[in-house]
Amino acid sequence: MSISSEKNNVLGLPAGGGQPGQKNISIPLYFGGAVAQLAGLTAVAYQLTEPSFAYFTMLLTLVGLTCSYFLRRYGSSPRLIQVGAAFVALVFIAALRGVGPFQNLVPFEAQGSQELLLVCALAFTATFCSFLLVTDESVMFTCVWAIAIIGLTGTVNINQELIVCFIVFLGASTFLLVHQNSLAGGMPTVTEAALAGGEDTPAPAGIPGYVRVTTTIDARWRLLRTQANVALACAAGAAMLGFLIAIPLQMVGRNLSLANVIQRLNVPPAAAQQLAGGKLGTIQLEFNNSQDFQVGLGPVSDDQSERARVESPKPLYWRGRLFDFYTGRGWANSFIGQNVYGEAVEPKGELDPEGFSTFPIKPVEYERKKFERITYRFHLNNNRFTPLYIAAEARQVRLPSVQIILRPDHTMSAPNSYGPEYEAVSEVPTNVRPTDLRRTAQSDYPPEMRRLYLQGTTSDVLDALAQQIVTDANAMNPYDKAEALRQWVSSNCVYTLDAPAVPRGRDAAEYFLRESKQGYCDLYATAFTILCRHAGLPARVATGFAPGIEDPKAEKKTFILREADRHAWTEIYFHGYGWMVFDATQDTPGTIPAARTPEPQTDQRALWERILAAGWLPVTMTLIGFCGFLYFLFMEILLSIRDRVHQVVPTHAVAVNARHVVRQYQNAAKKLSRRGMRRTPQMTTTEYLYQVRERFGEPVYAAFAPLTALFQRAVYGTENGSQIGVEDSTAANAALKKLETALKEQKRASR
């Protein structure tokens, strides 16, 4: 005594949530899980300069979800799933180890960053698990992978794209919670939806006493829309609440950071006493010396006094001096030793209304690609312009002076200046991507570059260290070598202003890298530069100012430069692109946060350009996979609708008493479902009754049997529902109470 309404469910939404081998699975549940996990993987794509890894995992996730759905739909054996899982696990292990075609799959930039490597490992694991989502609970677990990936990605860099990914994840995960709760509690069946909505539906011609159940489809869509609206409201409320408490929690968390506490404990508090007669913070580095730059002098002070302001459209390094000759205790300029101090540059034209002279600067001699011109203006707190701080490479300077000196390394000074301001125009790198720098070759360096910027490689210890770092990172091109060395220095050394002085007679770079591993920007830049030279990369040390702090009150984009923003960094030469900035203090642990110099990490490309950074192939593969997922989703919905629109049920089902009997039966089914006995869509009511007897025994069966008989009479009877009266409704109530009592007694007996 059954009809197709007991075996089918619109949109594949089973009343009990579904088990492996069912014909109808909750497609919206899988769709929500896909959106949640793809949000996490998209966050990974936006943190990587080469997002092909993220596209690969996104495509496999879609394939995995599709496989999981059909494995569950067609009831594949557990052994088949286990064998498939073992095969996929082997593929992922090979990918993680870089074997065969997976050699370059793991992003290179993740190999030197513990946070990014853990993010990639989580992405791999989540993708692997997408092939095993054969229960509703496992689909829900995609939220755990996604939030873990987004959370770890946020520790690397929080940007606008990451916030968008989190909001998408929040909406998808909230929908999953609402939808799964409805499934677990027992969504209204097709019959009950017909009872609630079939009264006003006209009967089809030629079939007296029957109506179409097209309203069931509308009821299901209304239910899904309600769930989506509830999820959207909850997600919006959670996002608003998160923004309200994020800033205070961030401040508290930063002060209570376990990593910072550990790093503070690692730094000797009396490090300054290692300088004879010195006091903490009494040493001042000499960044402006035109002849040399001494490093490793001991503890320095953290002076927050303002030195200048600069109006600039973007944060940049403000270069003052360059040094190419390593002395073991610091840096000098090779041309100074040859008594070459620079050439005088005369102004062009007359003074402008501000009283500024315009000085054209000749271009550099080496080839440069991908740069843009920007104009910026310095406001100094004094009238001295020695040196002139500029963004590399300057092409024009305007200032109140009659002459400037252009040095051979393209730095400059204005010894006869008389005013607190100057303006400059520079050609700065723009949209230079890691893929561009990876195409350069070390064999292309001009002889002059090799002579000047590969000097100082006399330490066998540092030479072995540089070769080991490059080999371990499998770095085969100049960019990957430089990035591997930078990440090693950043992750293995501690940034602190309390670092001890380099002992007399010791090489500063070797002492810093092999023994103390404590220092500030001077030792970071020195050690990184020397390692680059040992790896065959032309490198030099630059001093000046970090970008500074943006002034939120200024009308124009303005950056405040403090004494604490004085900085030293490394510049590496890439053939065809010139000198590129690399800063080893980026993201390094330390008691004092290193100066933020965002130029190497800042990506100014448009969103679409960033998506296409890895080429069209990963994007095309991802789109094909997503379109395939949408296709099978559309076909499943279409088949469910086609099967449902031709169903018929008796018109007498709209009787009030019959509706009450059906509702009580559904309440009983919910209670049994909570005890682990779910009624699957393919079960008839009689089959379900026998399953209950096998599971719970005769007392529960005796209580449930009368209610089952009443339900069958109310839905499938041929007497137009007139036989379902008030006494039947009362009997249904009594049967439900008897069932509740029987279940309680059975539970006590099982203990």
Side-chain angles (χ1 to χ4, degrees):
M1 190 187 306
S2 64
I3 60 173
S4 59
S5 60
E6 287 192 3
K7 296 186 177 181
N8 294 289
N9 207 339
V10 176
L11 300 179
L13 299 174
Q19 297 292 335
Q22 293 181 2
K23 296 294 183 182
N24 297 294
I25 314 299
S26 176
I27 296 177
L29 188 73
Y30 275 81
F31 186 77
V35 173
Q37 186 154 316
L38 288 177
L41 296 176
T42 304
V44 178
Y46 287 128
Q47 297 299 330
L48 300 175
T49 55
E50 297 297 330
S52 54
F53 165 80
Y55 289 139
F56 175 75
T57 55
M58 291 166 68
L59 176 62
L60 282 186
T61 294
L62 292 171
V63 174
L65 284 165
T66 305
C67 292
S68 297
Y69 173 83
F70 283 106
L71 285 173
R72 186 176 177 186
R73 176 177 175 83
Y74 294 108
S76 300
S77 65
R79 184 175 298 277
L80 176 62
I81 297 176
Q82 293 171 0
V83 172
F87 173 76
V88 176
L90 291 176
V91 172
F92 276 88
I93 291 174
L96 283 173
R97 295 181 59 86
V99 177
F102 304 102
Q103 183 174 2
N104 297 318
L105 181 59
V106 178
F108 173 80
E109 59 195 293
Q111 297 177 11
S113 171
Q114 294 181 355
E115 292 84 0
L116 281 179
L117 190 60
L118 184 55
V119 167
C120 294
L122 277 176
F124 264 124
T125 308
T127 306
F128 165 69
C129 291
S130 68
F131 288 83
L132 308 175
L133 305 180
V134 292
T135 63
D136 289 353
E137 293 75 11
S138 61
V139 177
M140 292 291 297
F141 201 75
T142 57
C143 297
V144 178
W145 297 120
I147 192 58
I149 292 172
I150 293 175
L152 277 174
T153 305
T155 64
V156 179
N157 183 23
I158 298 179
N159 51 32
Q160 182 178 359
E161 292 88 352
L162 181 63
I163 296 175
V164 172
C165 292
F166 176 73
I167 293 176
V168 173
F169 159 78
L170 192 61
S173 59
T174 309
F175 171 77
L176 282 175
L177 291 173
V178 174
H179 186 67
Q180 172 62 8
N181 182 67
S182 180
L183 291 177
M187 293 176 64
T189 61
V190 173
T191 305
E192 188 172 357
L195 292 175
E199 293 179 299
D200 299 326
T201 306
I207 309 180
Y210 288 90
V211 294
R212 291 189 183 274
V213 192
T214 53
T215 53
T216 305
I217 302 171
D218 296 333
R220 286 295 184 180
W221 280 115
R222 283 197 302 270
L223 184 58
L224 284 177
R225 284 197 299 268
T226 301
Q227 293 175 354
N229 291 335
V230 172
L232 182 62
C234 293
M240 293 179 61
L241 182 61
F243 283 121
L244 288 176
I245 66 175
I247 295 178
L249 285 181
Q250 185 181 26
M251 296 173 62
V252 173
R254 185 175 299 168
N255 292 327
L256 298 179
S257 171
L258 181 59
N260 284 342
V261 172
I262 293 174
Q263 295 299 340
R264 290 178 184 272
L265 294 176
N266 286 335
V267 178
Q273 303 305 319
Q274 298 185 34
L275 284 178
K279 296 182 179 180
L280 179 62
T282 59
I283 302 298
Q284 288 290 340
L285 284 179
E286 184 60 51
F287 288 92
N288 296 335
N289 194 309
S290 61
Q291 297 188 9
D292 61 14
F293 176 51
Q294 298 298 315
V295 302
L297 300 180
V300 297
S301 61
D302 185 24
D303 189 353
Q304 298 294 320
S305 58
E306 183 177 324
R307 289 290 178 259
R309 289 174 176 254
V310 55
E311 296 176 3
S312 171
K314 60 194 299 187
L316 295 167
Y317 291 91
W318 308 111
R319 178 203 289 171
R321 296 299 186 205
L322 289 170
F323 302 95
D324 58 16
F325 186 81
Y326 181 58
T327 65
R329 293 287 301 183
W331 294 87
N333 285 297
S334 56
F335 58 82
I336 296 295
Q338 303 171 6
N339 295 323
V340 178
Y341 294 92
E343 60 180 286
V345 179
E346 302 297 330
K348 179 181 180 181
E350 302 294 331
L351 298 178
D352 62 16
E354 293 184 273
F356 286 6
S357 300
T358 301
F359 297 88
I361 308 300
K362 64 181 181 181
V364 294
E365 298 178 354
Y366 45 83
E367 179 187 1
R368 297 182 69 217
K369 306 174 184 177
K370 293 190 175 183
F371 58 83
E372 63 175 340
R373 286 201 172 196
I374 66 167
T375 302
Y376 48 92
R377 191 181 187 95
F378 264 82
H379 304 267
L380 303 178
N381 289 354
N382 56 54
N383 295 337
R384 292 183 57 82
F385 290 161
T386 303
L388 286 175
Y389 294 100
I390 53 95
E393 304 286 343
R395 293 304 312 276
Q396 177 182 290
V397 177
R398 294 176 56 249
L399 74 163
S401 180
V402 297
Q403 188 183 73
I404 64 174
I405 302 300
L406 181 65
R407 292 151 59 97
D409 57 9
H410 231 65
T411 59
M412 60 195 72
S413 59
N416 300 317
S417 62
Y418 48 90
E421 297 184 5
Y422 65 90
E423 186 176 277
V425 178
S426 293
E427 294 175 344
V428 300
T430 181
N431 290 335
V432 179
R433 306 172 186 175
T435 51
D436 299 325
L437 302 181
R438 287 191 177 102
R439 298 189 185 102
T440 62
Q442 293 180 247
S443 60
D444 296 332
Y445 299 142
E448 186 69 8
M449 289 289 178
R450 295 178 180 273
R451 183 183 68 84
L452 290 177
Y453 302 110
L454 292 179
Q455 170 272 339
T457 56
T458 59
S459 172
D460 294 337
V461 173
L462 295 185
D463 186 73
L465 176 61
Q467 298 306 322
Q468 178 185 352
I469 295 171
V470 170
T471 302
D472 292 345
N474 195 28
M476 307 300 293
N477 58 74
Y479 175 82
D480 287 347
K481 291 181 180 180
E483 188 62 16
L485 294 170
R486 186 196 69 80
Q487 291 181 5
W488 190 93
V489 175
S490 297
S491 58
N492 285 275
C493 301
V494 177
Y495 188 99
T496 173
L497 301 182
D498 299 335
V502 176
R504 292 182 181 275
R506 298 294 303 275
D507 182 274
E510 186 174 328
Y511 176 75
F512 173 67
L513 290 174
R514 304 305 298 178
E515 295 187 30
S516 74
K517 296 187 178 181
Q518 300 175 20
Y520 32 93
C521 61
D522 62 335
L523 287 174
Y524 272 84
T526 296
F528 177 42
T529 302
I530 293 302
L531 285 178
C532 287
R533 291 186 175 189
H534 277 286
L537 306 176
R540 64 190 183 185
V541 169
T543 63
F545 281 99
I549 302 174
E550 186 174 355
D551 185 0
K553 300 180 181 179
E555 295 182 1
K556 296 182 179 180
K557 198 177 186 69
T558 301
F559 297 89
I560 302 173
L561 305 183
R562 307 158 300 169
E563 183 67 29
D565 292 318
R566 291 190 184 274
H567 197 46
W569 61 90
T570 300
E571 295 184 354
I572 302 175
Y573 178 78
F574 291 87
H575 183 71
Y577 296 91
W579 293 97
M580 305 299 296
V581 175
F582 282 74
D583 191 347
T585 65
Q586 285 283 8
D587 303 317
T588 186
T591 60
I592 300 295
R596 293 302 300 174
T597 47
E599 189 180 36
Q601 280 73 33
T602 299
D603 199 336
Q604 302 294 333
R605 293 172 289 172
L607 177 61
W608 184 244
E609 292 179 338
R610 294 181 65 183
I611 294 176
L612 296 178
W616 284 96
L617 181 59
V619 179
T620 303
M621 294 177 65
T622 305
L623 290 177
I624 291 175
F626 189 68
C627 290
F629 182 74
L630 291 180
Y631 173 76
F632 101 79
L633 175 65
F634 171 77
M635 293 302 296
E636 290 293 325
I637 295 175
L638 184 64
L639 290 174
S640 296
I641 294 176
R642 188 182 65 181
D643 292 340
R644 185 58 54 198
V645 294
H646 298 294
Q647 292 184 37
V648 292
V649 297
T651 55
H652 64 263
V654 299
V656 175
N657 293 324
R659 186 182 305 125
H660 180 74
V661 169
V662 170
R663 187 174 296 111
Q664 294 297 74
Y665 181 85
Q666 293 300 322
N667 290 334
K670 290 179 184 178
K671 296 181 183 299
L672 293 169
S673 176
R674 295 191 188 102
R675 297 290 302 276
M677 188 63 239
R678 294 178 177 178
R679 180 189 173 197
T680 58
Q682 62 266 30
M683 281 187 185
T684 65
T685 54
T686 302
E687 292 170 345
Y688 186 47
L689 178 62
Y690 291 151
Q691 292 286 338
V692 170
R693 181 169 62 179
E694 293 178 5
R695 176 69 178 272
F696 298 107
E698 289 297 330
V700 176
Y701 167 77
F704 188 49
L707 188 55
T708 301
L710 287 171
F711 175 79
Q712 292 173 343
R713 288 177 55 202
V715 177
Y716 311 120
T718 59
E719 303 177 11
N720 295 325
S722 59
Q723 79 283 14
I724 304 298
V726 177
E727 65 281 1
D728 295 308
S729 295
T730 304
N733 295 337
L736 181 60
K737 291 181 180 179
K738 185 177 180 181
L739 176 65
E740 293 174 349
T741 302
L743 287 173
K744 290 179 181 178
E745 293 177 353
Q746 192 272 342
K747 184 177 182 180
R748 284 195 296 267
S750 63
R751 293 176 181 175

